[in-house]
Amino acid sequence: MFLVDARITGKRLVARDMYVITMHAPPIASTVLPGQFVNIGWSPGPMLRRPFSVYRVDGERIEIVLKAVGVGTAQLLSMTQGDRVSCLGPLGHGFEFGAGPRSAVLVSGGLGVASMTLAARQAASLGIRVTWVHGARTKEDLCSESDGDDLIWATDDGSKGVKGTAVAAAPDADLVLACGPNRMLAAVAARWPEAQVAVETYMGCGTGVCLGCAVPLKRGGYDRACREGPVYRASDIDWATLPSHLSYAATP
Ligand SMILES: Cc1cc2nc3c(=O)[nH]c(=O)nc-3n(C[C@H](O)[C@H](O)[C@H](O)COP(=O)(O)OP(=O)(O)OC[C@H]3O[C@@H](n4cnc5c(N)ncnc54)[C@H](O)[C@@H]3O)c2cc1C
Ligand code: FES
């Protein structure tokens, strides 16, 4: 884990109100694994850092993808090239690719693309055939940068791709990885209990100390999303108790 004084180097629009921010953070760029995140703070800014999945790595730079949903994300999006943020990471336990899967389906809803790009690249580098199913409310809300051997779009209103949810549109595969609103992940768990899902929680420290990121488990008790997660086996989570209103990955 590194604490980096990271310079913002760019910002681009990838869907309606959805931006990718690029920042120079060499030690994080060289060590981050698919599904891990960074906890970002800045001054003047909110008291608590804000967690974001690492979306892409480009040389010594990392990218995050976000929309303005509150004070912190609005401030981050108002920053310009040359501004600096304090970036702590990489954090958390990411996706595992195990031995021998031949096919993977990546299911992302809205901003859930955030943890999928690194996963798609890692799977491809291991010779796994990747089908990426990306869903959103309308075609304007679909991230334009999704890729994979096969790409399936799904929209609630049918304006692009399959009409309906990304979960319904997804084929079966040896490995299923998903990121999106918690209610979408609960549907993933019902269809593929062995899927790996990146869950949403509130977070504080991001390093396992404050217990602010509790994830309720089926076997009883709680895990810390920032340490044992944010990626879990879908069937391990008590979906009835995990807040389903948390939806950074949803389109509002
Ligand atoms: C591991 C992890 C990875 C994440 N990756 C991304 C990402 O790649 N892109 C992205 O846009 N967002 C991501 N989020 C969510 C993001 O951290 C929150 O949206 C952000 O902290 C909100 O900050 P804010 O100051 O703008 O909102 P606030 O002003 O604090 O709150 C505004 C609204 O957002 C809700 N909110 C606050 N925190 C969260 C949260 N953690 N999850 C969902 N809703 C929240 C509040 O309930 C409130 O309704 C991630 C969260 C986690 C835990
Ligand atoms: S955010 Fe503090 S323990 Fe997880």
Side-chain angles (χ1 to χ4, degrees):
M1 174 174 57
F2 302 92
L3 182 60
V4 181
D5 176 27
R7 181 171 40 85
I8 292 186
T9 56
K11 180 167 78 175
R12 63 181 187 274
L13 184 70
V14 291
R16 177 167 35 202
D17 302 326
M18 192 193 295
Y19 293 86
V20 171
I21 294 183
T22 308
M23 56 193 80
H24 189 244
I28 298 177
S30 62
T31 53
V32 67
L33 298 171
Q36 289 190 304
F37 66 99
V38 288
N39 214 10
I40 298 180
W42 57 92
S43 181
M47 194 174 76
L48 293 174
R49 291 171 179 269
R50 298 294 193 252
F52 297 95
S53 305
V54 176
Y55 169 66
R56 275 188 179 176
V57 171
D58 176 17
E60 296 188 330
R61 292 184 291 251
I62 60 165
E63 298 184 342
I64 59 170
V65 56
L66 72 155
K67 278 185 177 180
V69 297
V71 178
T73 42
Q75 285 182 0
L76 253 185
L77 281 178
S78 71
M79 290 186 188
T80 54
Q81 207 163 330
D83 286 346
R84 303 191 91 93
V85 293
S86 167
C87 194
L88 182 66
L91 299 171
H93 178 88
F95 294 112
E96 287 176 1
F97 295 84
R102 301 219 318 243
S103 61
V105 64
L106 276 44
V107 187
S108 60
L111 272 159
V113 291
S115 43
M116 286 300 158
T117 307
L118 291 185
R121 290 186 178 178
Q122 170 101 14
S125 76
L126 294 170
I128 302 170
R129 184 170 184 88
V130 174
T131 301
W132 186 338
V133 189
H134 179 50
R137 286 210 173 147
T138 73
K139 67 176 180 190
E140 287 81 18
D141 302 304
L142 288 167
C143 177
S144 56
E145 297 185 347
S146 314
D147 60 18
D149 298 313
D150 298 306
L151 178 59
I152 298 173
W153 305 101
T155 49
D156 293 350
D157 68 354
S159 51
K160 183 160 180 173
V162 180
K163 186 173 190 308
T165 69
V167 177
D172 291 321
D174 297 341
L175 185 68
V176 179
L177 312 180
C179 183
N182 288 341
R183 62 180 180 281
M184 179 195 113
L185 300 184
V188 168
R191 180 167 168 191
W192 299 287
E194 296 301 315
Q196 295 175 51
V197 297
V199 301
E200 298 170 44
T201 61
Y202 293 109
M203 265 188 197
C205 65
T207 56
V209 177
C210 72
L211 307 183
C213 59
V215 173
L217 301 175
K218 269 268 173 57
R219 64 171 184 268
Y222 293 85
D223 251 1
R224 297 163 299 179
C226 69
R227 287 301 287 262
E228 290 79 38
V231 174
Y232 288 91
R233 189 169 63 167
S235 58
D236 286 348
I237 293 178
D238 178 359
W239 295 100
T241 312
L242 187 72
S244 60
H245 67 276
L246 281 181
S247 59
Y248 80 82
T251 43

